[in-house]
Amino acid sequence: MNSADGAAVVVGVDGSAQALRAVRLAAVEADRRQRPLRVVHAYIWPLLHVSGAPPAGGPPGSGLRQQAHRIVDEAVDEARAAVADLPVTGEIIDGGAAAVLLGESLTASSVVVGDRGLGGFTSLLVGSVAIQVAAYADCPVLVARGTDRTTGPVVVGVDGSDLSRLAVQVAAEQAAWRDTGLLAVHAYRHPASTGPGDMQPLVHQEGALRGEEERLLAESLAGLADRYPQVPVTGQVVHAKPGAALTEASRRAQLLVVGARGRGELTGLLLGSVSQAVLHHSDCPVAVVRGPH
């Protein structure tokens, strides 16, 4: 995450209802963090060699370029309506949506996107732009999906990996800003429980394994009480698939925070299976954390 003073929260817009929802979420996020908000619209038509000028004989204000300006203006107005006196700027940038937002992520505090924009297939649970940005961004990515809530905890997925520890830090900050508690969920599967016909571990083995998982969670949360004394922290160890456990926890959460890739996943993966699962199924907005904070 780019921690330079004054780094903006960036939100991508395309004129869709989902994008306007992302704008409202981004405005509140920027206000909480005392950051400016930057509204960005990716203008792809020059790449396709399509003119943005008004057609011959067309009405004033017509044309693709003017339409892009209206999209940005509407989003800026939406942000100012959501949070009064928020510093907001808007810009049209030539390029594809994912490429433009990834470029913005190099200097942004965070990037906010809708789960699916204009032209997104209704059968898709989350759109390709959100997936690409979450996979490659140089800063945390906040995806507006599920239900917006002002009650409930911030939930974070914990697995002991470096990115998981970073996610815990981000989630604790979010809980402090939101004046709410933090629920840290560590889900594990017994190595022998890989198929319906596998033998289950003995009771004493299961007890020892659970003890190890509880120690992992405790180590991941160590020091939080000193750094964030105002944030009540609850740890939860569950025997379940991580994606399913986090999705269940999201049903009463304000925000779900995960690392982009977890422990045991292939290092070549830019976006792990758990983060992909919650992006598709979470019932609240999802923050995907990657890189230094």
Side-chain angles (χ1 to χ4, degrees), residues 82-98:
V83 178
D85 301 322
L86 179 69
V88 185
T89 57
E91 185 173 356
I92 298 167
I93 301 176
D94 291 355

Side-chain angles (χ1 to χ4, degrees), residues 168-262:
V168 168
Q169 171 73 17
V170 170
E173 289 178 351
Q174 285 284 345
W177 288 324
R178 294 164 185 258
D179 193 24
T180 192
L182 175 66
L183 173 60
V185 177
H186 172 53
Y188 72 98
R189 301 295 300 277
H190 189 277
S193 302
T194 56
D198 291 331
M199 293 180 61
Q200 296 300 309
L202 298 174
V203 173
H204 71 273
Q205 292 176 326
E206 176 59 28
L209 285 166
R210 186 174 181 86
E212 292 176 6
E213 305 299 342
E214 289 173 347
R215 282 192 292 275
L216 182 152
L217 178 59
E219 290 170 0
S220 298
L221 302 179
L224 277 188
D226 294 332
R227 295 194 299 274
Y228 302 96
Q230 76 276 38
V231 176
V233 179
T234 303
Q236 184 180 79
V237 176
V238 295
H239 189 270
K241 291 182 178 180
L246 292 171
T247 297
E248 180 60 31
S250 75
R251 301 188 193 285
R252 59 187 183 90
Q254 294 187 39
L255 177 70
L256 174 57
V257 183
V258 293
R261 190 180 64 252

Side-chain angles (χ1 to χ4, degrees), residues 1-2 137-140 162-163 166-167 170 259-260 288-293:
M1 174 176 174
N2 189 308
D138 275 7
C139 66
D162 290 343
L163 275 179
L166 188 56
V170 170
V288 178
V289 178
R290 41 180 304 112
H293 178 241

Side-chain angles (χ1 to χ4, degrees), residues 1-8 35 107 109:
M1 174 176 174
N2 189 308
S3 57
D5 289 343
R35 304 273 186 172
T107 54
S109 168

